[in-house]
Amino acid sequence: LAAAWIELLDETLGELRPVSAAGLDVKKWPLPIVNINGDLRRNGVILEALRTSRVATSEDIQTDERTKGLHKHLGKFEFHSLASIPFQLHGKTIGVLNLLSGEVGWFRDEEEIRLLDEMGRDISFALDALENEKVKRQWEQALREGEEKMRSIFRAAPTGIGVVKDRVLLDVNSRICEMTGYAKEELIGQS
């Protein structure tokens, strides 16, 4: 492979923004930014992959009509074959992994395209798992914070509060102790 890069969709601007690359410099991006509302001839291969959520390929981007708007930018590179592999987050296509080869017709084999499609599904699965784990951690944190708030309210309440299960005191706040004259340890476990 001559180059590879990942583009993520910025839905507000309708642009696919390069976020990571090998063989190209993301900070000095040499290619026009792909706009999903723009001219299909600018980079129709990448847009096709994004819109269909299926791998799209070009045997030679230097001559392909779908990349006509890029030909002047590509002239300085020895890039020919392109595979654009979409990936999703929770069923929504959010970006593409693009692979470039210096050889014409590099991504033509059906089995290879099937493997690229599988790679896109694997990336999507991994993104879903990461996002699910992130959401789980956020819920757990919110639950811990909510529990701590309830404990604070329980401890500082101006009225006596006791926690009872099966008619047995499991916990009491300090106000109950003040009202009854018993220590917390003496009240816990009483029925």
Side-chain angles (χ1 to χ4, degrees), residues 41 59 75 78 158:
R41 293 172 301 156
E59 290 187 28
E78 291 297 318

Side-chain angles (χ1 to χ4, degrees), residues 130 132-142 144:
L130 288 170
N132 289 341
E133 184 60 31
K134 178 182 169 187
V135 168
K136 178 184 169 193
R137 283 192 310 271
Q138 289 171 337
W139 276 103
E140 288 171 346
Q141 179 63 30
R144 281 191 296 275

Side-chain angles (χ1 to χ4, degrees), residues 2 5 7 12 17 23 110 141 150-151 165 187:
W5 74 97
E7 293 177 291
T12 6
R17 292 274 177 188
E110 289 293 320
Q141 179 63 30
M150 288 305 294
R151 278 193 282 283
K165 181 178 179 183
L187 293 171

Side-chain angles (χ1 to χ4, degrees), residues 78-108:
E78 291 297 318
F79 301 145
H80 291 282
S81 295
L82 168 67
S84 189
I85 304 140
F87 52 88
Q88 301 180 337
L89 180 62
H90 300 303
K92 183 177 181 180
T93 302
I94 63 162
V96 289
L97 166 62
N98 298 295
L99 305 175
L100 283 170
S101 170
E103 294 183 38
V104 174
W106 185 259
F107 302 108
R108 151 183 344 178

